[in-house]
């Protein structure tokens, strides 16, 4: 999963190195400056003048080293809930050693990031060629062949994108503010406290930005309208120039699942970024559902095996999330193997525990289907009716209506006898 972060980390380190070089050039290009003469010893000014390129490189590495502290912290924090506290303690107790080690790791980090980015790109390109969908724009074209793109959700998508863009701009200004703090604040304790403040502020801003997508998510989760949700995601991902860069791939895959299009859902997950344990678990959970719909038993077993390897280091919450996702994949295996009694109990519990309507409709549909196969027609009729009443545009609704017609015909036949 680390490879999905390599591209952004590489360019962040490269950009910070360039910024550091430029700042060094600005500071030391005029060695006759009165300020520099007052601050630096004459021998050091002489060394800088004779080794100006080396000085600029050192300045670039210094800024990149500071940024590298943040990047390494982001990589380590998911490993354990105590890691953030340990990082803050190290920054407070021995900041100079932390920055020195981080600076030494800049070049190795860039090499590793470059390798991870290129190897991931090569692997993804092979999978994309196998799926015959070359890019996101081609995916949208294929989507429009299979389904309708609803224009009434374009306004909602643009409003969400506007809010996200604003939050991203504020985030960028915060990064600039961090560089200013690093340049002008000399007190180490104050510097560490300000960095801690910025880290907390950035986390709050990222949460705010993610919340701006909730109106689109509700189209599926609360209104059970996967077609509307998928349309909004596509409009959100389409720029004025016509360029398409699809986001929210997991949500889009869910929409396609509930539109009964597992093949296209599988294609959209080819480039799904498995950046952390949570996203990796989401990926294999969705693939498990898709594999069940495609009746691919071997792939379904592999999805369960890969999901079992994921470790969620978020305390009891992480354990619960992992357990729920694994139970969902295992249930699909049981369903494929015909263990209907176990599956029915699972879905009955899902109806009680799941908070969103689309999840309850999903559970009701499979309860009804199992009941129909077991010839419990009254139970099947009750749950199929719930699917019809609450399923809105989910493909389950049309199937449920067909089964209800069959049950009604059985009832009529019994009455005639």
């Amino acid at each position: 999963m680390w490879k999905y972060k390599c591209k952004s980390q590489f360019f962040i380190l490269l950009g910070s190195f360039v910024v550091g070089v430029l700042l060094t050039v600005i500071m030391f290009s005029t060695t006759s400056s009165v300020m520099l003469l007052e601050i630096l010893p004459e021998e050091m000014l002489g060394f800088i003048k004779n080794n100006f390129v080396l000085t600029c490189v050192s300045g670039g590495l210094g800024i990149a080293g500071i940024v590298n502290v943040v990047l390494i912290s982001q990589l380590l924090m998911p490993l354990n809930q105590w890691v953030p506290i340990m990082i803050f303690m190290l920054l407070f107790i021995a900041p100079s050693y932390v920055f020195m080690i981080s600076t030494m790791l800049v070049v190795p980090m860039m090499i590793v990031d470059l390798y991870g980015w290129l190897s991931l790109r090569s692997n993804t390109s092979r999978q994309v060629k196998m799926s015959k969908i070359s890019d996101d724009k081609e995916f949208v074209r294929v989507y429009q062949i299979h389904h309708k793109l609803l224009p009434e959700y374009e306004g909602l998508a643009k409003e969400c994108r506007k809010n996200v863009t604003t939050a991203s701009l504020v985030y960028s200004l915060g990064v600039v503010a961090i560089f200013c703090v690093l340049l002008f604040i000399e007190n180490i304790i104050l510097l560490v406290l300000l960095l801690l403040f910025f880290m907390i502020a950035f986390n709050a801003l990222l949460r705010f930005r993610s919340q701006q997508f909730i109106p689109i998510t509700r189209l599926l989760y609360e209104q059970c309208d996967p077609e509307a949700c998928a349309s909004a995601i596509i409009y959100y991902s389409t720029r004025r120039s016509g360029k398409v860069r699809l986001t929210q791939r997991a949500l889009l895959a869910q929409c396609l699942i509930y539109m009964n299009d597992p093949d296209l859902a599988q294609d959209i997950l080819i480039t799904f970024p498995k950046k952390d344990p949570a996203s990796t678990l989401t990926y294999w959970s969705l693939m498990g559902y898709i594999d069940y719909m495609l009746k691919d038993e071997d792939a379904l077993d592999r999805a369960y095996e890969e999901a079992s390897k994921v470790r969620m280091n978020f305390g009891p919450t992480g354990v619960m999330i992992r357990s729920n996702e694994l139970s969902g994949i295992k249930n699909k295996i049981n369903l494929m193997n015909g263990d209907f009694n176990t599956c029915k109990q699972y879905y009955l519990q899902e109806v009680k525990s799941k908070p969103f309507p689309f999840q309850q409709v999903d559970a009701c549909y499979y309860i009804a289907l199992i009941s129909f196969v077991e010839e419990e027609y009254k139970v099947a009729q009750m749950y199929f009716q719930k699917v019809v009443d609450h399923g809105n545009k989910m493909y389950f609704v049309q199937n449920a209506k067909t089964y209800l017609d069959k049950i009604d015909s059985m009832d009529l036949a019994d009455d005639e006898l």
Side-chain angles (χ1 to χ4, degrees), residues 109-121:
M109 276 284 289
M110 292 184 71
I111 294 173
V112 172
D113 286 339
L114 186 61
Y115 163 76
W117 170 32
L118 294 178
S119 62
L120 176 64
R121 183 177 178 180

Side-chain angles (χ1 to χ4, degrees), residues 240-287:
R240 291 181 180 179
S241 61
K243 184 178 179 180
V244 180
R245 185 179 180 184
L246 288 171
T247 59
Q248 302 294 323
R249 290 177 179 270
L251 181 60
L252 184 54
Q254 278 187 312
C255 293
L256 292 166
I257 286 172
Y258 293 118
M259 293 161 71
N260 198 23
D261 197 343
D263 292 296
L264 203 56
Q266 191 175 52
D267 288 337
I268 196 62
L269 290 178
I270 289 175
T271 53
F272 178 76
K274 301 186 284 292
K275 294 182 178 181
D276 48 50
S279 60
T280 303
L281 197 58
T282 298
Y283 171 82
W284 287 114
S285 178
L286 290 169
M287 285 302 299

Side-chain angles (χ1 to χ4, degrees), residues 119-131 270:
S119 62
L120 176 64
R121 183 177 178 180
S122 175
N123 183 52
T124 303
S125 297
R126 287 197 299 269
Q127 294 183 50
V128 169
K129 288 179 181 179
M130 291 174 61
S131 71
I270 289 175

